[in-house]
Amino acid sequence: MARSYPVNHWYAIATSAELTEKPLARTICNTPIVMFRDKAGAVAVLEDICPHRKAPLSSGFVVDGAIECGYHGAQFDAHGRCIHIPSQDVIPPRGMTVTRFPALERHDMIFAWIGDDKRATPDGIPDIWSANTYADWTAVHGYHHVKANYLLVLDNLADLTHLAFVHRSTIGASGRTGWFNNPLRVTIEGDRVHSSRTMRDISPSGFMLMTSRFAPTDKIDRFQTSDFFAPAFFTVVLGGEHAGTHEEMQRPHHIVLNSVTPETEETSHYFWSVCRTVALDDQHITDEMYRLTRLAFDEDADMLERQQQAIRADRSGRPLMNFQGDQGGAAMRKVIARLIEAETEEQAA
């Protein structure tokens, strides 16, 4: 089966806080990897297999900035070179190396390049990810392991009309009128898909009420923009003002950063952050934003898992169908398909 993701791109593989003194294992794009920190504290990412007896390196330990296999103690440095074999003092045999993957650590996140390492460059992480570490913002971070193809997770982010149904008892309780009565505007620029929607004279969202900028009885004008950065980054910027205050609203209230990384063709790693500009020192609001966001994404993950099960059982062969609200998601899938096609043509050349 053809893969559904391009490989010559950066993918999120962990948060910085996850990588402690122990090695951390994940599967990224159907490739088992292990990550650890070298002596200088830099992130190293290797294929999670020891060439000696094919044991997973992640079952071992980090020793002086190298990873030690938990089976026979062979040690490998951050470049995947074997530097020590306890049972022999001679030079390690030829072939005792492990594939190394380029890695970046930025904005409290760790990214890896699973494709052709010669094509890896320092750019490719959207600038807006720095909202994770802005001095005048505060953020909460989360992770979901989703039992669904990563494209389905991106679809879910691209069409927020699902809030009124999947999240009807939580974050989508009051959102039906705003989402359905205001058109979505979609533009495409290269590998980036931009969507925007403005909603006038509606009730504040739960997140906005939480920070006391608005009262429950207020009516507000609210804007929501989203940007897809190929192949797997998705940002949502939300803001609002009292109704009739501004024709063009610019001030963000909070930003949701989403990194969706393929694990296999039917599972995904979903890293998210919610960054806000108000009530920065209020720990109760921080805790509530984390709790409510996690609850909402639990609801998404449950629906997406059921969707993946239905797709697996579907014998009709019919493709997914699109509504008007799927403009952004359809454009996003076209970008990804084009990237995969280009990689396939390069490999065949």
Side-chain angles (χ1 to χ4, degrees):
M1 182 175 65
R3 55 182 165 82
S4 61
Y5 48 82
V7 293
N8 288 316
H9 296 271
W10 294 106
Y11 285 102
I13 60 172
T15 63
S16 294
E18 286 183 283
L19 193 54
T20 59
E21 70 279 1
K22 298 179 180 180
L24 178 61
R26 286 221 158 98
T27 295
I28 306 296
C29 299
N30 274 305
T31 302
I33 64 169
V34 59
M35 61 195 98
F36 60 98
R37 295 190 183 276
D38 64 16
K39 281 187 176 181
V43 176
V45 180
L46 305 179
E47 190 171 9
D48 192 13
I49 188 167
C50 177
H52 175 226
R53 284 296 183 267
K54 309 293 186 182
L57 290 172
S58 57
S59 65
F61 303 90
V62 179
V63 179
D64 293 330
I67 189 164
E68 181 180 86
C69 179
Y71 196 7
H72 297 95
Q75 293 180 2
F76 300 85
D77 67 12
H79 297 280
R81 298 173 300 210
C82 183
I83 58 173
H84 178 61
I85 299 175
S87 61
Q88 64 185 54
D89 296 326
V90 298
I91 298 173
R94 183 178 298 178
M96 272 296 288
T97 59
V98 180
T99 300
R100 167 193 169 271
F101 300 103
L104 288 175
E105 185 169 17
R106 290 183 182 171
H107 317 312
D108 290 340
M109 294 290 298
I110 299 170
F111 306 88
W113 185 284
I114 303 299
D116 181 358
D117 60 356
K118 299 181 184 64
R119 300 185 57 176
T121 60
D123 57 3
I125 310 301
D127 291 339
I128 197 171
W129 248 249
S130 58
N132 266 339
T133 50
Y134 281 159
D136 54 347
W137 289 62
T138 191
V140 295
H141 311 291
Y143 166 82
H144 276 73
H145 181 256
V146 184
K147 296 178 182 178
N149 182 279
Y150 89 113
L151 290 173
L152 300 180
V153 185
L154 290 172
D155 285 343
N156 177 268
L157 292 166
D159 182 10
L160 295 185
T161 61
H162 80 270
L163 266 65
F165 304 98
V166 177
H167 309 297
R168 67 178 68 216
S169 62
T170 54
I171 62 173
S174 60
R176 227 176 247 224
T177 302
W179 295 114
F180 298 148
N181 293 350
N182 297 279
L184 182 70
R185 297 176 294 277
V186 177
T187 58
I188 306 169
E189 184 178 344
D191 295 342
R192 177 180 174 183
V193 179
H194 176 78
S195 304
S196 63
R197 179 183 271 115
T198 300
M199 294 162 277
R200 303 282 183 185
D201 198 34
I202 64 171
S203 299
S205 70
F207 276 1
M208 291 180 173
L209 291 174
M210 194 186 304
T211 55
S212 301
R213 275 191 66 205
F214 306 105
T217 55
D218 286 342
K219 291 296 183 178
I220 68 168
D221 295 334
R222 178 180 174 186
F223 75 91
Q224 171 255 316
T225 65
S226 62
D227 286 278
F228 166 72
F229 302 88
F233 302 114
F234 203 101
T235 67
V236 182
V237 179
L238 304 102
E241 302 291 348
H242 285 95
T245 305
H246 297 288
E247 180 64 26
E248 293 293 331
M249 294 169 285
Q250 301 293 331
R251 178 188 177 191
H253 181 275
H254 61 286
I255 297 175
V256 185
L257 305 177
N258 308 272
S259 301
V260 187
T261 301
E263 181 184 46
T264 68
E265 286 296 339
E266 292 194 355
T267 56
S268 307
H269 303 290
Y270 180 19
F271 302 92
W272 52 266
S273 303
V274 181
C275 316
R276 72 178 190 272
T277 59
V278 291
L280 301 185
D281 299 323
D282 193 320
Q283 187 60 44
H284 172 71
I285 293 176
T286 296
D287 294 342
E288 279 297 286
M289 278 200 160
Y290 176 83
R291 184 185 69 82
L292 289 174
T293 305
R294 176 145 203 107
L295 175 61
F297 290 159
D298 283 345
E299 292 172 332
D300 284 326
D302 180 68
M303 175 59 74
L304 291 166
E305 181 174 350
R306 293 170 186 269
Q307 181 187 12
Q308 184 67 67
Q309 291 171 347
I311 290 172
R312 187 188 309 125
D314 182 18
R315 299 175 60 185
S316 71
R318 292 180 296 183
L320 301 176
M321 300 185 70
N322 290 325
F323 295 160
Q324 283 188 343
D326 293 308
Q327 297 172 65
M332 172 193 71
R333 281 179 173 254
K334 287 181 180 179
V335 170
I336 293 172
R338 176 167 50 77
L339 295 175
I340 295 171
E341 183 180 6
E343 287 186 357
T344 303
E345 290 176 352
E346 289 174 3
Q347 292 172 353

